Amino acid sequence: MKLALLFVLLLPVCLAKPFHQKGLFDFMLEDEGSADLPPTEDPVISGYGPICPFRCQCHLRVVQCSDLGLDKVPKDLPPDTTLLDLQNNKITEIKEGDFKNLKNLHALILVNNKISKISPAAFAPLKKLERLYLSKNNLKELPENMPKSLQEIRAHENEISKLRKAVFNGLNQVIVLELGTNPLKSSGIENGAFQGMKKLSYIRIADTNITSIPKGLPPSLTELHLDGNKISKIDADSLSGLTNLAKLGLSFNSISSVENGSLNNVPHLRELHLNNNELPRVPGGLGDHKYIQVVYLHNNKIASIGINDFCPLGYNTKKATYSGVSLFSNPVQYWEIQPSAFRCIHERSAVQIGNYK
Amino acid sequence: MKEYVLLLFLALCSAKPLIGPSYFTLKNVMLQDMEDEDEEDEDDNSLFPTTEPLIPFDFFSICPFGCQCYLRVVHCSDLGLTSIPRNIPPDTRMIDLQNNKIREVKENDLQGLTSLYALALNNNKISKIHPKAFLPTKKLRRLYLSHNQLTEIPTNLPTSLAELRIHANKVKKIHKEAFKGMKSLHVLEMSANPLNNDGIEPGAFEGVNIYHIRIAEAKLTSIPKELPSSLLELHLDDNKITTIELEDFNRYKDLQRLGLGNNKIKDVENGSFANIPRVREIHLEKNKLKKVPPGLPNLKYLQVVFLHSNHIAKLGVNDFCPTGGRKKKALYSGISLFNNPVKYWEVQPSTFRCILARNSVQLTNFLK
């Protein structure tokens, strides 16, 4: 009762000032103790409803059942649960009725279990689910029929080798998608698999076996992280339409060429990580790029640096100045670089050339 | 994990009709601002570069690369990080660093993070925490250190902690000063550590008001007697406890849930449970009990008793229910007795005269 009341009280508080949640958490925390306190009066308890699964902790509509060695999802979860934490257990399967009644669930944490099977209907009751964390499991594929309300999907460290369009179709609210450390190949990603996610802002497919940047990424993307893969070149095409992209991570691949025009396709890029690749030269288009601020190129095979590689010809047309350019661990010798190559950089320390070996 | 409550709340806050700054919109707003400026001086090729960059670098890149920073939550899980990243925005409320390869929390790793409320460091390789590392985080309430390599409860944790989880580490010792000043510590989870009874120094829990303690999968041979008297839930399953003695629960008068499953308990001394009159749930399954522990009829609120997989050979008619005019305040809703030598046809039906429903008692041996 108390909790429900608090919840209702909290809502207008945060609705009033969407940008200042000051004190919100503290307020919630104040409740933490009282939520667990025993009733002061002697209650005559008649029924034994779904109070809280034994050994779990339930308060503020959060059900915390991590680290319990559970081999299945516990029964009798309170139906008003908003967050269910089941991480670090031994759950092998998500069955059809496991989450029935949990129509208020916002976040489901299943990280670090042994899940290899998810019943196609298991998530159906979860009409309000926004965050689904499936990392560190044995999934071969993402489940179909994930709730349309999802904003964040994490499936790091599974056995996923296939990404089908049908799985993501209609997931219009997804903002963050994390799929790193999976045995995924480029051929396993269906063409335009991600295209349906109109709000996708962050995607990370690091430490897999993909050999190229996936095609048909949605234009809403602001961050693309593909480090630790087997990508050998950047096609201009693969970045076309990504006008909102601000951060691009491609380090620890085997990239030896960046097609001309690639950077033109990402006009709002601020940060580009291409360190630990096989690049023989600085990628074209940096000089004319208006917003780029951080370029990591260390640990490549760059043997010389042209005078216009980083800075625009003639007047400085840059809208943002470089704050970090790394070039160390490349064959190029610093005395061979003309100082004017960095004429548009005001901060001396922004450039790191020295070969620390 | 509970810290996600805050995410939930924020998500709720940003729900219609008032559209708040979700991750996506926030970033777009930022981009929009910059584009506006872009429009303005598109053709303004002034002779000298403007001295001030139009976009201060920090404005956009204050978030560590690969992490997601929004609404004062910094998400850096699953990134293979070997140390805590720099450039964490100073107003951060929560940092999620789980599932990385962090080995150490260094002295200055949390510098300036005075607003930090929750820190998730579980599933790393942390074996060392600098004694001064947590000095700046004076508001830290939740600290998750499970699945690391710690050998003791770190000293000098913030006294503001409400929840501490150190599951599956190598903790052998709880120092006398470990929880000193932690007046609001409510939840302590430290199961799956090689802790034995001698590892808990006397006085270690003095002055703390923990409600929920779990020290399961450890090496305890008896019920620790010096845990906080505020306890509502005590979970000691999967240990090597052999007996329950009269004075074991002396301090734990408010206890409501007691988990002692999967131990080696043979005897429960008469009167032991009289010290915990408010208890609602007792789990004693998978032990070596030869009879139903004494004193259950006097526990007015007791609703659940798990006694399955023991050596109980017979049941007395007054083992569970009170006699005479005395009444239970709550009827039994779950009694488990299966997997015991007792034969169900030898049990008098009146033994269970104070249960809620027929199916509240599980007697039969359904073998798995």
Side-chain angles (χ1 to χ4, degrees), chain A residues 235-267:
Chain A
D235 296 323
D237 236 19
S238 59
L239 297 176
S240 80
L242 299 183
T243 48
N244 289 305
L245 200 69
K247 295 187 179 186
L248 176 56
L250 284 163
S251 39
F252 294 93
N253 275 285
S254 36
I255 299 168
S256 57
S257 75
V258 179
E259 198 183 331
N260 266 340
S262 297
L263 289 176
N264 283 343
N265 284 335
V266 283

PDB file of all heavy atoms in Angstrom, chain A residues 235-267:
ATOM      1  N   ASP A 235      33.352   0.925 -46.971  1.00  0.00           N
ATOM      2  CA  ASP A 235      32.689   1.395 -48.188  1.00  0.00           C
ATOM      3  C   ASP A 235      31.908   2.663 -47.865  1.00  0.00           C
ATOM      4  O   ASP A 235      31.230   2.721 -46.848  1.00  0.00           O
ATOM      5  CB  ASP A 235      31.674   0.350 -48.682  1.00  0.00           C
ATOM      6  CG  ASP A 235      32.355  -0.934 -49.084  1.00  0.00           C
ATOM      7  OD1 ASP A 235      33.463  -0.848 -49.645  1.00  0.00           O
ATOM      8  OD2 ASP A 235      31.789  -2.017 -48.824  1.00  0.00           O
ATOM      9  N   ALA A 236      32.002   3.626 -48.766  1.00  0.00           N
ATOM     10  CA  ALA A 236      31.255   4.874 -48.562  1.00  0.00           C
ATOM     11  C   ALA A 236      29.766   4.577 -48.427  1.00  0.00           C
ATOM     12  O   ALA A 236      29.054   5.167 -47.616  1.00  0.00           O
ATOM     13  CB  ALA A 236      31.506   5.833 -49.724  1.00  0.00           C
ATOM     14  N   ASP A 237      29.352   3.640 -49.217  1.00  0.00           N
ATOM     15  CA  ASP A 237      27.957   3.217 -49.244  1.00  0.00           C
ATOM     16  C   ASP A 237      27.388   2.834 -47.876  1.00  0.00           C
ATOM     17  O   ASP A 237      26.258   3.162 -47.536  1.00  0.00           O
ATOM     18  CB  ASP A 237      27.876   1.958 -50.121  1.00  0.00           C
ATOM     19  CG  ASP A 237      26.891   2.157 -51.234  1.00  0.00           C
ATOM     20  OD1 ASP A 237      26.586   3.346 -51.501  1.00  0.00           O
ATOM     21  OD2 ASP A 237      26.435   1.142 -51.802  1.00  0.00           O
ATOM     22  N   SER A 238      28.208   2.107 -47.132  1.00  0.00           N
ATOM     23  CA  SER A 238      27.709   1.558 -45.874  1.00  0.00           C
ATOM     24  C   SER A 238      27.412   2.652 -44.857  1.00  0.00           C
ATOM     25  O   SER A 238      26.697   2.412 -43.892  1.00  0.00           O
ATOM     26  CB  SER A 238      28.711   0.561 -45.298  1.00  0.00           C
ATOM     27  OG  SER A 238      29.947   1.201 -45.089  1.00  0.00           O
ATOM     28  N   LEU A 239      27.967   3.854 -45.086  1.00  0.00           N
ATOM     29  CA  LEU A 239      27.704   4.940 -44.146  1.00  0.00           C
ATOM     30  C   LEU A 239      26.702   5.946 -44.707  1.00  0.00           C
ATOM     31  O   LEU A 239      26.408   6.954 -44.073  1.00  0.00           O
ATOM     32  CB  LEU A 239      29.006   5.654 -43.777  1.00  0.00           C
ATOM     33  CG  LEU A 239      30.058   4.809 -43.054  1.00  0.00           C
ATOM     34  CD1 LEU A 239      31.335   5.611 -42.846  1.00  0.00           C
ATOM     35  CD2 LEU A 239      29.532   4.316 -41.719  1.00  0.00           C
ATOM     36  N   SER A 240      26.197   5.682 -45.884  1.00  0.00           N
ATOM     37  CA  SER A 240      25.337   6.686 -46.503  1.00  0.00           C
ATOM     38  C   SER A 240      24.027   6.811 -45.737  1.00  0.00           C
ATOM     39  O   SER A 240      23.466   5.825 -45.254  1.00  0.00           O
ATOM     40  CB  SER A 240      25.073   6.347 -47.969  1.00  0.00           C
ATOM     41  OG  SER A 240      24.079   5.377 -48.069  1.00  0.00           O
ATOM     42  N   GLY A 241      23.626   8.043 -45.583  1.00  0.00           N
ATOM     43  CA  GLY A 241      22.373   8.316 -44.884  1.00  0.00           C
ATOM     44  C   GLY A 241      22.515   8.469 -43.383  1.00  0.00           C
ATOM     45  O   GLY A 241      21.569   8.855 -42.704  1.00  0.00           O
ATOM     46  N   LEU A 242      23.690   8.190 -42.841  1.00  0.00           N
ATOM     47  CA  LEU A 242      23.860   8.269 -41.385  1.00  0.00           C
ATOM     48  C   LEU A 242      24.188   9.703 -40.974  1.00  0.00           C
ATOM     49  O   LEU A 242      25.250  10.001 -40.437  1.00  0.00           O
ATOM     50  CB  LEU A 242      24.932   7.300 -40.918  1.00  0.00           C
ATOM     51  CG  LEU A 242      24.655   5.823 -41.206  1.00  0.00           C
ATOM     52  CD1 LEU A 242      25.754   4.944 -40.630  1.00  0.00           C
ATOM     53  CD2 LEU A 242      23.307   5.400 -40.620  1.00  0.00           C
ATOM     54  N   THR A 243      23.262  10.601 -41.225  1.00  0.00           N
ATOM     55  CA  THR A 243      23.536  12.026 -41.017  1.00  0.00           C
ATOM     56  C   THR A 243      23.590  12.406 -39.542  1.00  0.00           C
ATOM     57  O   THR A 243      24.015  13.495 -39.205  1.00  0.00           O
ATOM     58  CB  THR A 243      22.466  12.882 -41.716  1.00  0.00           C
ATOM     59  OG1 THR A 243      21.191  12.350 -41.354  1.00  0.00           O
ATOM     60  CG2 THR A 243      22.617  12.828 -43.216  1.00  0.00           C
ATOM     61  N   ASN A 244      23.133  11.541 -38.691  1.00  0.00           N
ATOM     62  CA  ASN A 244      23.166  11.861 -37.258  1.00  0.00           C
ATOM     63  C   ASN A 244      24.327  11.214 -36.524  1.00  0.00           C
ATOM     64  O   ASN A 244      24.497  11.428 -35.325  1.00  0.00           O
ATOM     65  CB  ASN A 244      21.870  11.406 -36.589  1.00  0.00           C
ATOM     66  CG  ASN A 244      20.702  12.263 -36.993  1.00  0.00           C
ATOM     67  OD1 ASN A 244      20.756  13.479 -36.839  1.00  0.00           O
ATOM     68  ND2 ASN A 244      19.674  11.648 -37.535  1.00  0.00           N
ATOM     69  N   LEU A 245      25.109  10.440 -37.245  1.00  0.00           N
ATOM     70  CA  LEU A 245      26.163   9.676 -36.570  1.00  0.00           C
ATOM     71  C   LEU A 245      27.203  10.606 -35.935  1.00  0.00           C
ATOM     72  O   LEU A 245      27.760  11.474 -36.595  1.00  0.00           O
ATOM     73  CB  LEU A 245      26.856   8.730 -37.554  1.00  0.00           C
ATOM     74  CG  LEU A 245      27.605   7.579 -36.886  1.00  0.00           C
ATOM     75  CD1 LEU A 245      26.634   6.601 -36.249  1.00  0.00           C
ATOM     76  CD2 LEU A 245      28.506   6.853 -37.872  1.00  0.00           C
ATOM     77  N   ALA A 246      27.447  10.432 -34.659  1.00  0.00           N
ATOM     78  CA  ALA A 246      28.404  11.278 -33.945  1.00  0.00           C
ATOM     79  C   ALA A 246      29.637  10.491 -33.508  1.00  0.00           C
ATOM     80  O   ALA A 246      30.716  11.043 -33.405  1.00  0.00           O
ATOM     81  CB  ALA A 246      27.739  11.914 -32.731  1.00  0.00           C
ATOM     82  N   LYS A 247      29.471   9.211 -33.246  1.00  0.00           N
ATOM     83  CA  LYS A 247      30.606   8.414 -32.796  1.00  0.00           C
ATOM     84  C   LYS A 247      30.688   7.129 -33.612  1.00  0.00           C
ATOM     85  O   LYS A 247      29.689   6.421 -33.754  1.00  0.00           O
ATOM     86  CB  LYS A 247      30.464   8.063 -31.312  1.00  0.00           C
ATOM     87  CG  LYS A 247      30.504   9.268 -30.385  1.00  0.00           C
ATOM     88  CD  LYS A 247      30.528   8.836 -28.928  1.00  0.00           C
ATOM     89  CE  LYS A 247      30.593  10.064 -28.024  1.00  0.00           C
ATOM     90  NZ  LYS A 247      30.758   9.709 -26.594  1.00  0.00           N
ATOM     91  N   LEU A 248      31.873   6.871 -34.124  1.00  0.00           N
ATOM     92  CA  LEU A 248      32.069   5.677 -34.932  1.00  0.00           C
ATOM     93  C   LEU A 248      33.300   4.938 -34.424  1.00  0.00           C
ATOM     94  O   LEU A 248      34.413   5.466 -34.454  1.00  0.00           O
ATOM     95  CB  LEU A 248      32.238   6.085 -36.407  1.00  0.00           C
ATOM     96  CG  LEU A 248      32.550   4.986 -37.422  1.00  0.00           C
ATOM     97  CD1 LEU A 248      31.508   3.880 -37.400  1.00  0.00           C
ATOM     98  CD2 LEU A 248      32.662   5.573 -38.827  1.00  0.00           C
ATOM     99  N   GLY A 249      33.118   3.740 -33.943  1.00  0.00           N
ATOM    100  CA  GLY A 249      34.217   2.954 -33.400  1.00  0.00           C
ATOM    101  C   GLY A 249      34.539   1.783 -34.299  1.00  0.00           C
ATOM    102  O   GLY A 249      33.705   0.908 -34.516  1.00  0.00           O
ATOM    103  N   LEU A 250      35.739   1.783 -34.848  1.00  0.00           N
ATOM    104  CA  LEU A 250      36.147   0.710 -35.752  1.00  0.00           C
ATOM    105  C   LEU A 250      37.548   0.210 -35.423  1.00  0.00           C
ATOM    106  O   LEU A 250      38.220  -0.381 -36.274  1.00  0.00           O
ATOM    107  CB  LEU A 250      36.100   1.210 -37.202  1.00  0.00           C
ATOM    108  CG  LEU A 250      34.703   1.339 -37.840  1.00  0.00           C
ATOM    109  CD1 LEU A 250      34.751   2.209 -39.074  1.00  0.00           C
ATOM    110  CD2 LEU A 250      34.151  -0.035 -38.190  1.00  0.00           C
ATOM    111  N   SER A 251      37.983   0.426 -34.199  1.00  0.00           N
ATOM    112  CA  SER A 251      39.341   0.003 -33.859  1.00  0.00           C
ATOM    113  C   SER A 251      39.432  -1.521 -33.776  1.00  0.00           C
ATOM    114  O   SER A 251      38.423  -2.213 -33.710  1.00  0.00           O
ATOM    115  CB  SER A 251      39.781   0.643 -32.545  1.00  0.00           C
ATOM    116  OG  SER A 251      38.728   0.674 -31.630  1.00  0.00           O
ATOM    117  N   PHE A 252      40.639  -2.006 -33.820  1.00  0.00           N
ATOM    118  CA  PHE A 252      40.910  -3.446 -33.764  1.00  0.00           C
ATOM    119  C   PHE A 252      40.147  -4.229 -34.835  1.00  0.00           C
ATOM    120  O   PHE A 252      39.453  -5.198 -34.554  1.00  0.00           O
ATOM    121  CB  PHE A 252      40.621  -4.006 -32.358  1.00  0.00           C
ATOM    122  CG  PHE A 252      41.549  -3.483 -31.310  1.00  0.00           C
ATOM    123  CD1 PHE A 252      41.211  -2.355 -30.563  1.00  0.00           C
ATOM    124  CD2 PHE A 252      42.783  -4.083 -31.086  1.00  0.00           C
ATOM    125  CE1 PHE A 252      42.084  -1.853 -29.605  1.00  0.00           C
ATOM    126  CE2 PHE A 252      43.656  -3.575 -30.123  1.00  0.00           C
ATOM    127  CZ  PHE A 252      43.302  -2.468 -29.389  1.00  0.00           C
ATOM    128  N   ASN A 253      40.270  -3.748 -36.070  1.00  0.00           N
ATOM    129  CA  ASN A 253      39.801  -4.508 -37.218  1.00  0.00           C
ATOM    130  C   ASN A 253      40.999  -4.706 -38.125  1.00  0.00           C
ATOM    131  O   ASN A 253      42.147  -4.574 -37.674  1.00  0.00           O
ATOM    132  CB  ASN A 253      38.687  -3.729 -37.924  1.00  0.00           C
ATOM    133  CG  ASN A 253      37.326  -3.983 -37.284  1.00  0.00           C
ATOM    134  OD1 ASN A 253      36.744  -5.033 -37.468  1.00  0.00           O
ATOM    135  ND2 ASN A 253      36.837  -3.006 -36.517  1.00  0.00           N
ATOM    136  N   SER A 254      40.791  -5.036 -39.386  1.00  0.00           N
ATOM    137  CA  SER A 254      41.944  -5.083 -40.294  1.00  0.00           C
ATOM    138  C   SER A 254      41.698  -4.166 -41.492  1.00  0.00           C
ATOM    139  O   SER A 254      41.936  -4.540 -42.633  1.00  0.00           O
ATOM    140  CB  SER A 254      42.228  -6.525 -40.715  1.00  0.00           C
ATOM    141  OG  SER A 254      41.025  -7.237 -40.867  1.00  0.00           O
ATOM    142  N   ILE A 255      41.237  -2.992 -41.195  1.00  0.00           N
ATOM    143  CA  ILE A 255      40.883  -2.035 -42.247  1.00  0.00           C
ATOM    144  C   ILE A 255      42.139  -1.495 -42.925  1.00  0.00           C
ATOM    145  O   ILE A 255      43.029  -0.955 -42.280  1.00  0.00           O
ATOM    146  CB  ILE A 255      40.064  -0.869 -41.662  1.00  0.00           C
ATOM    147  CG1 ILE A 255      38.767  -1.411 -41.048  1.00  0.00           C
ATOM    148  CG2 ILE A 255      39.765   0.189 -42.727  1.00  0.00           C
ATOM    149  CD1 ILE A 255      38.014  -0.421 -40.184  1.00  0.00           C
ATOM    150  N   SER A 256      42.191  -1.684 -44.247  1.00  0.00           N
ATOM    151  CA  SER A 256      43.338  -1.161 -44.984  1.00  0.00           C
ATOM    152  C   SER A 256      42.939  -0.060 -45.947  1.00  0.00           C
ATOM    153  O   SER A 256      43.785   0.609 -46.519  1.00  0.00           O
ATOM    154  CB  SER A 256      44.058  -2.288 -45.732  1.00  0.00           C
ATOM    155  OG  SER A 256      43.135  -2.931 -46.588  1.00  0.00           O
ATOM    156  N   SER A 257      41.635   0.138 -46.133  1.00  0.00           N
ATOM    157  CA  SER A 257      41.258   1.266 -46.979  1.00  0.00           C
ATOM    158  C   SER A 257      39.919   1.858 -46.558  1.00  0.00           C
ATOM    159  O   SER A 257      39.032   1.153 -46.097  1.00  0.00           O
ATOM    160  CB  SER A 257      41.197   0.841 -48.454  1.00  0.00           C
ATOM    161  OG  SER A 257      40.028   0.091 -48.688  1.00  0.00           O
ATOM    162  N   VAL A 258      39.853   3.184 -46.699  1.00  0.00           N
ATOM    163  CA  VAL A 258      38.621   3.912 -46.429  1.00  0.00           C
ATOM    164  C   VAL A 258      38.226   4.587 -47.732  1.00  0.00           C
ATOM    165  O   VAL A 258      38.944   5.461 -48.221  1.00  0.00           O
ATOM    166  CB  VAL A 258      38.818   4.972 -45.321  1.00  0.00           C
ATOM    167  CG1 VAL A 258      37.526   5.738 -45.075  1.00  0.00           C
ATOM    168  CG2 VAL A 258      39.300   4.315 -44.039  1.00  0.00           C
ATOM    169  N   GLU A 259      37.146   4.146 -48.285  1.00  0.00           N
ATOM    170  CA  GLU A 259      36.759   4.653 -49.596  1.00  0.00           C
ATOM    171  C   GLU A 259      36.498   6.160 -49.540  1.00  0.00           C
ATOM    172  O   GLU A 259      35.935   6.665 -48.565  1.00  0.00           O
ATOM    173  CB  GLU A 259      35.490   3.938 -50.066  1.00  0.00           C
ATOM    174  CG  GLU A 259      35.237   4.069 -51.559  1.00  0.00           C
ATOM    175  CD  GLU A 259      33.925   3.396 -51.973  1.00  0.00           C
ATOM    176  OE1 GLU A 259      33.522   2.423 -51.297  1.00  0.00           O
ATOM    177  OE2 GLU A 259      33.319   3.851 -52.949  1.00  0.00           O
ATOM    178  N   ASN A 260      36.943   6.851 -50.581  1.00  0.00           N
ATOM    179  CA  ASN A 260      36.708   8.291 -50.651  1.00  0.00           C
ATOM    180  C   ASN A 260      35.216   8.590 -50.550  1.00  0.00           C
ATOM    181  O   ASN A 260      34.407   7.897 -51.147  1.00  0.00           O
ATOM    182  CB  ASN A 260      37.236   8.850 -51.977  1.00  0.00           C
ATOM    183  CG  ASN A 260      38.653   9.365 -51.805  1.00  0.00           C
ATOM    184  OD1 ASN A 260      39.086   9.649 -50.685  1.00  0.00           O
ATOM    185  ND2 ASN A 260      39.378   9.486 -52.912  1.00  0.00           N
ATOM    186  N   GLY A 261      34.912   9.622 -49.821  1.00  0.00           N
ATOM    187  CA  GLY A 261      33.505   9.997 -49.686  1.00  0.00           C
ATOM    188  C   GLY A 261      32.834   9.385 -48.480  1.00  0.00           C
ATOM    189  O   GLY A 261      31.722   9.762 -48.124  1.00  0.00           O
ATOM    190  N   SER A 262      33.524   8.456 -47.830  1.00  0.00           N
ATOM    191  CA  SER A 262      32.935   7.820 -46.643  1.00  0.00           C
ATOM    192  C   SER A 262      32.579   8.863 -45.592  1.00  0.00           C
ATOM    193  O   SER A 262      31.484   8.873 -45.037  1.00  0.00           O
ATOM    194  CB  SER A 262      33.899   6.811 -46.037  1.00  0.00           C
ATOM    195  OG  SER A 262      34.147   5.765 -46.943  1.00  0.00           O
ATOM    196  N   LEU A 263      33.531   9.739 -45.304  1.00  0.00           N
ATOM    197  CA  LEU A 263      33.308  10.709 -44.243  1.00  0.00           C
ATOM    198  C   LEU A 263      32.290  11.781 -44.637  1.00  0.00           C
ATOM    199  O   LEU A 263      31.645  12.373 -43.777  1.00  0.00           O
ATOM    200  CB  LEU A 263      34.627  11.354 -43.816  1.00  0.00           C
ATOM    201  CG  LEU A 263      35.559  10.411 -43.052  1.00  0.00           C
ATOM    202  CD1 LEU A 263      36.887  11.081 -42.754  1.00  0.00           C
ATOM    203  CD2 LEU A 263      34.910   9.943 -41.760  1.00  0.00           C
ATOM    204  N   ASN A 264      32.151  12.013 -45.955  1.00  0.00           N
ATOM    205  CA  ASN A 264      31.111  12.945 -46.409  1.00  0.00           C
ATOM    206  C   ASN A 264      29.721  12.458 -46.036  1.00  0.00           C
ATOM    207  O   ASN A 264      28.800  13.251 -45.861  1.00  0.00           O
ATOM    208  CB  ASN A 264      31.157  13.095 -47.935  1.00  0.00           C
ATOM    209  CG  ASN A 264      32.306  13.986 -48.354  1.00  0.00           C
ATOM    210  OD1 ASN A 264      32.853  14.718 -47.528  1.00  0.00           O
ATOM    211  ND2 ASN A 264      32.684  13.899 -49.625  1.00  0.00           N
ATOM    212  N   ASN A 265      29.598  11.159 -45.940  1.00  0.00           N
ATOM    213  CA  ASN A 265      28.288  10.588 -45.624  1.00  0.00           C
ATOM    214  C   ASN A 265      27.915  10.716 -44.155  1.00  0.00           C
ATOM    215  O   ASN A 265      26.770  10.474 -43.785  1.00  0.00           O
ATOM    216  CB  ASN A 265      28.248   9.105 -46.022  1.00  0.00           C
ATOM    217  CG  ASN A 265      28.095   8.938 -47.516  1.00  0.00           C
ATOM    218  OD1 ASN A 265      27.581   9.833 -48.186  1.00  0.00           O
ATOM    219  ND2 ASN A 265      28.551   7.815 -48.032  1.00  0.00           N
ATOM    220  N   VAL A 266      28.897  11.056 -43.338  1.00  0.00           N
ATOM    221  CA  VAL A 266      28.611  11.213 -41.904  1.00  0.00           C
ATOM    222  C   VAL A 266      29.031  12.621 -41.465  1.00  0.00           C
ATOM    223  O   VAL A 266      29.993  12.798 -40.720  1.00  0.00           O
ATOM    224  CB  VAL A 266      29.301  10.128 -41.059  1.00  0.00           C
ATOM    225  CG1 VAL A 266      28.542   8.814 -41.166  1.00  0.00           C
ATOM    226  CG2 VAL A 266      30.753   9.893 -41.498  1.00  0.00           C
ATOM    227  N   PRO A 267      28.285  13.624 -41.911  1.00  0.00           N
ATOM    228  CA  PRO A 267      28.719  15.016 -41.734  1.00  0.00           C
ATOM    229  C   PRO A 267      28.768  15.481 -40.285  1.00  0.00           C
ATOM    230  O   PRO A 267      29.408  16.480 -39.993  1.00  0.00           O
ATOM    231  CB  PRO A 267      27.668  15.818 -42.507  1.00  0.00           C
ATOM    232  CG  PRO A 267      26.462  14.933 -42.548  1.00  0.00           C
ATOM    233  CD  PRO A 267      26.990  13.535 -42.602  1.00  0.00           C
TER     234      PRO A 267
END
